[in-house]
Amino acid sequence: MASVETAAEHERILREIESTDTNCIGPTLRSVYDGQEHGLFMEKLDARIRNHDREIEKMCNHHFQGFVDSITELLKVRGEAQKLKNQVTETNRRLQDDGKDLMSSMEELKQCRVQQRNIATTIDKLTHCLPVLEMYSRLQEQMKAKRYYPALCTLEQLEQTCLPRAGQYRFCSIMAENIPKLRIQIRDTAMAQLRDFLESIRKHSDKIGETAIRQAQLQRSLDSSVSPQPRALIGRRSRREAAAGTESDGQGGSPSSEQDSGILDVDEEEEEEVPGAQDLVDFSPVYRCLHIYTVLGLRDVFENYYRKQRRKQARLVLQPHSNMHETLEGYRRYFNQIVGFFVVEDHVLHTTQGLVNRAYVEELWELALSKIIAALRTHSSYCDDPDLVLDLKNLIVLFADTLQGYGFPVSQLFDMLLEMREQYGEILLKRWNITFRQVLDQDNYSPIPVSTEDEFRHYTSQFPLQDPELEKLPFPKKLPFSEFVPKVYCQLKEFIYACLKYSEDLHLSSTEVDDMIRKSTNLLLTRTLSHCLQYGIKKKNVGLAELVQVIINTTHLEQSCHFLEEFISNITNIPPDTVNATKLYGTSTFKDARHAAEAEIYTSLNAKIDQFLQLADYDWMAAVQGGGALTASDYLIDLIAFLKSTFSVFTNLPGTPVEHATLPGKVAQTACMSACKHISTSLMQLLLDPELRQISMGALQQLNADVQECEGFARAGPVAGFQGDTLLLAFSDLRQLLDLFTQWDWSTYLADYGKPTCKYLRVNPHTALALLEKMRETSRKNNVFAQFRKTDRDRQKLIDTVIKQLRNLITQHHA
């Protein structure tokens, strides 16, 4: 049973081998080798192979005769074919030999026809190509000669007319390819020349501006009646017309020479004049570049580029140097560059059609004006030299007049000059502050001695002294004031002149100039001179004599102020009584200085009195002196002697007539009254000093003697002008208080207190109470055995009783 299955399996495998592609026979053979009947399968395989070989052999034997017959037929056909081939070859040889001559003749004819056609075509093409070549040659010559505008026109004709007619040739293609390159080359060359032009005018704008300003300065010096129209403007307009004519020619057609484009024509008459600023610049690169870009259809590009570059240059020109304020030359270079820039723009505006327009130039000018004013405000603020400010002002005026001649509005510059006038005034005030202080420091505060008529006239020419009485006095004599007065008066006039110099050329009316000068003079008086006088009065080591001289000096200066007003009116031609005219209210400065000097006299005099009072050495516990009258204290005698000599100086300076050297009467009287009041107040404070707890009747007697000495000085009348015993009133409080204690008249004081006719009206009950309590303390502590003496006990009881009555009086008074 197993052998039957094996045989069936082998049969299946053999069928698979016969029917399966050889590429897939591997799995079938593997199944044979995996089995155990490998030898048996090989035997079956060999048997199957032998069967197939027998079948093949049978088939070959069956068809062999047919095959042999076919081979025999083919051999017969091959022989016939060979014969046919030989016949065809021979026929072809004979045909070729016969047609060789004909072909030769036909070839010759063909070549002849081709040559004829080529010649005709060549003639026709040359007719179209020769103008192209000639025009291209002319183009090369124009490029070589740098005649770029004609070259552009040649390029346009070559591209639009000649090359299309010439046809498609390699040289035409090369030319056509080169045309854009040539246009770019011309455009770039023109732009390079324009850049060189822009760089050149940037470098030389200083020179251009300097020439324009010099021209304007020359024009200012000419008489306007000679020519109603400024020569500079006439020359500028003629040049603009010539340039405008050139521009119109350039726009109308191609210039005959590129070098003629944009040249400013100058007539022979103009050559004899001062050359205009525009004559320094060759504007042909601008016109040439404008023409070229217009032809190229890039005019907008050129206009935008030109304006952009000029805006950049404007920002550079308007940027001042950091040290511009140090010298006038720095400002001059700055202004020259700006003027040069706008002169060029103004010329371009009037010689080109739309390259720059009025709005563009005005925009640039507005920008420039704001930056110029800001720069001038900044840099001028650093300046502290009035001469430099004045020179700068003149330079700005010339700068403004120059640009105004070209049609630029400059009102803001003049407004700024008015602002700078305030700064100029402040600088002048600082300089005059130094001058006044030097005059004060150098003054000897003594009347001026004059020995001859020439000396007298010298001083009266400097200061308007009008004193007939003084003129009648013989030489030598003294002027009432010191050197300070004529020097200050001269300096005031110099200040007015300095203010007037700044007002020139500002296009101001006489009234405005007069108003500015008067306001500045008022500031000089009220601020500068006032501070200097205060400085001179308050500084150390200023004696009473110097203070007296200051009062005399300021009195004369105050009297001279109306001469200053006349002086200002004369130089401004404005009467001082004009409506709305500014007045010199600064004269109050001298009054204030005089009052300060007077106050300083009072203060110094009181300080000197305090120095004497510091020497007071009272024995507050001194016993009562019996017998003769007491003498005044030594310090007080010295004080009275000092006051006598001081007021003698006040009322009559040595060597000077009284009417010309005395202190004003009220001042002397006030000083004397102030001194007496200060002495009285100081002595009263000595009595009421809280640290002084005990005082004896003997001390009061000594103080009473000192007060009597003071009263004697007051009665002697050290200063004239007091009515009656007015000066004694300064000591009335102290006198009544001392009389009340020395006379022990308490019953009268207590009985009449509060009545207008009271004998001790000026005695304050609080003052009396305080002094009485100090006497009670003295009585208690110094009289150890007071309880053994009836008189002392009675006196102590009396003091206690008076104190109690004073307290009751004070209580009733307050109630």
Side-chain angles (χ1 to χ4, degrees), residues 226-255:
V226 175
S227 175
Q229 187 178 22
R231 293 173 63 192
L233 298 180
I234 295 174
R236 183 183 69 177
R237 289 176 183 174
S238 64
R239 286 190 293 273
R240 285 176 180 171
E241 291 169 1
T246 304
E247 172 69 16
S248 62
D249 295 341
Q251 293 294 336
S254 173

Side-chain angles (χ1 to χ4, degrees), residues 642-659:
F642 163 74
L643 292 177
K644 288 179 179 179
S645 64
T646 297
F647 288 113
S648 175
V649 172
F650 280 7
T651 55
N652 186 7
L653 297 178
T656 306
V658 173
E659 62 272 18

Side-chain angles (χ1 to χ4, degrees), residues 325-329 331-332 380 383-396 420 423-429 431-432 494-495 497-499 501-502:
H325 61 276
E326 295 179 358
T327 61
L328 186 66
E329 189 61 30
Y331 289 105
R332 182 176 287 111
S380 62
C383 183
D384 55 0
D385 183 4
D387 296 331
L388 180 58
V389 175
L390 189 62
D391 292 338
L392 174 59
K393 165 255 171 183
N394 293 329
L395 192 60
I396 294 174
M420 284 181 58
Q423 178 190 352
Y424 176 73
E426 292 297 327
I427 297 175
L428 288 182
L429 293 178
R431 169 171 284 192
W432 258 258
E494 289 297 324
F495 179 85
Y497 277 126
C499 294
K501 287 180 181 179
Y502 191 91

Side-chain angles (χ1 to χ4, degrees), residues 231 266-275:
R231 293 173 63 192
V266 181
D267 298 334
E268 294 179 357
E269 294 180 357
E270 289 184 356
E271 291 177 355
E272 297 176 358
E273 300 178 359
V274 176

Side-chain angles (χ1 to χ4, degrees), residues 199-422:
E199 182 65 20
S200 175
I201 60 174
R202 188 187 68 82
K203 291 181 179 178
H204 297 92
S205 61
D206 187 9
K207 181 66 175 178
I208 300 170
E210 182 182 359
T211 304
I213 291 176
R214 190 186 303 117
Q215 191 180 44
Q217 192 171 15
L218 178 63
Q219 179 60 37
R220 286 176 59 185
S221 64
L222 297 176
D223 186 6
S224 59
S225 63
V226 175
S227 175
Q229 187 178 22
R231 293 173 63 192
L233 298 180
I234 295 174
R236 183 183 69 177
R237 289 176 183 174
S238 64
R239 286 190 293 273
R240 285 176 180 171
E241 291 169 1
T246 304
E247 172 69 16
S248 62
D249 295 341
Q251 293 294 336
S254 173
S256 59
S257 172
E258 188 68 22
Q259 298 300 323
D260 294 337
S261 178
I263 294 295
L264 296 179
D265 297 331
V266 181
D267 298 334
E268 294 179 357
E269 294 180 357
E270 289 184 356
E271 291 177 355
E272 297 176 358
E273 300 178 359
V274 176
Q278 300 89 342
D279 297 333
L280 301 176
V281 182
D282 178 16
F283 288 91
S284 58
V286 179
Y287 307 136
R288 184 181 304 123
C289 200
L290 177 61
H291 292 325
I292 289 172
Y293 270 74
T294 302
V295 172
L296 293 174
L298 300 173
R299 182 185 177 96
D300 292 341
V301 175
F302 174 71
E303 290 179 359
N304 293 334
Y305 175 81
Y306 178 84
R307 295 181 184 184
K308 181 179 180 181
Q309 294 302 315
R310 289 298 280 166
R311 283 192 180 94
K312 289 182 179 179
Q313 290 187 352
R315 285 192 286 270
L316 292 176
V317 166
L318 295 172
Q319 184 64 34
H321 299 289
S322 58
N323 59 345
M324 184 177 73
H325 61 276
E326 295 179 358
T327 61
L328 186 66
E329 189 61 30
Y331 289 105
R332 182 176 287 111
R333 287 196 303 269
Y334 181 62
F335 289 143
N336 287 345
Q337 290 177 354
I338 296 173
V339 171
F341 178 88
F342 282 100
V343 165
V344 171
E345 289 306 290
D346 180 75
H347 187 81
V348 171
L349 172 66
H350 289 85
T351 55
T352 60
Q353 296 179 354
L355 177 56
V356 296
N357 53 30
R358 174 60 63 183
Y360 161 79
V361 176
E362 290 178 354
E363 177 189 354
L364 275 183
W365 176 241
E366 288 296 327
L367 171 67
L369 202 57
S370 62
K371 289 187 176 296
I372 291 168
I373 292 175
L376 290 177
R377 282 173 177 164
T378 301
H379 285 268
S380 62
S381 64
Y382 298 133
C383 183
D384 55 0
D385 183 4
D387 296 331
L388 180 58
V389 175
L390 189 62
D391 292 338
L392 174 59
K393 165 255 171 183
N394 293 329
L395 192 60
I396 294 174
V397 170
L398 186 57
F399 169 74
D401 289 346
T402 302
L403 288 172
Q404 192 173 26
Y406 286 89
F408 294 100
V410 294
S411 59
Q412 292 186 39
L413 288 174
F414 284 99
D415 294 340
M416 189 208 61
L417 285 174
L418 295 180
E419 294 178 11
M420 284 181 58
R421 192 201 64 79
E422 303 293 335

Side-chain angles (χ1 to χ4, degrees), residues 205 210 229 354 446 546 565 581 584-585 630 667 737:
S205 61
E210 182 182 359
Q229 187 178 22
S446 299
E546 286 82 356
E565 292 213 11
L584 284 184
Y585 59 83
L630 294 174
V667 178
L737 180 65

Side-chain angles (χ1 to χ4, degrees), residues 574-670:
I574 298 296
D577 55 350
T578 303
V579 179
N580 298 328
T582 304
K583 303 299 180 182
L584 284 184
Y585 59 83
T587 53
S588 61
T589 293
F590 303 112
K591 293 181 181 179
D592 296 339
R594 187 163 60 251
H595 294 159
E598 293 170 5
E600 192 66 22
I601 287 176
Y602 308 149
T603 302
S604 299
L605 193 59
N606 291 342
K608 195 68 178 178
I609 293 173
D610 288 338
Q611 292 178 4
F612 282 99
L613 290 173
Q614 287 176 359
L615 301 176
D617 187 17
Y618 287 102
D619 181 7
W620 298 110
M621 302 300 296
V624 177
Q625 297 290 331
L630 294 174
T631 59
S633 303
D634 293 339
Y635 84 91
L636 193 65
I637 294 175
D638 294 339
L639 172 58
I640 296 301
F642 163 74
L643 292 177
K644 288 179 179 179
S645 64
T646 297
F647 288 113
S648 175
V649 172
F650 280 7
T651 55
N652 186 7
L653 297 178
T656 306
V658 173
E659 62 272 18
H660 299 293
T662 56
L663 191 68
K666 291 184 179 180
V667 178
Q669 294 170 14
T670 304

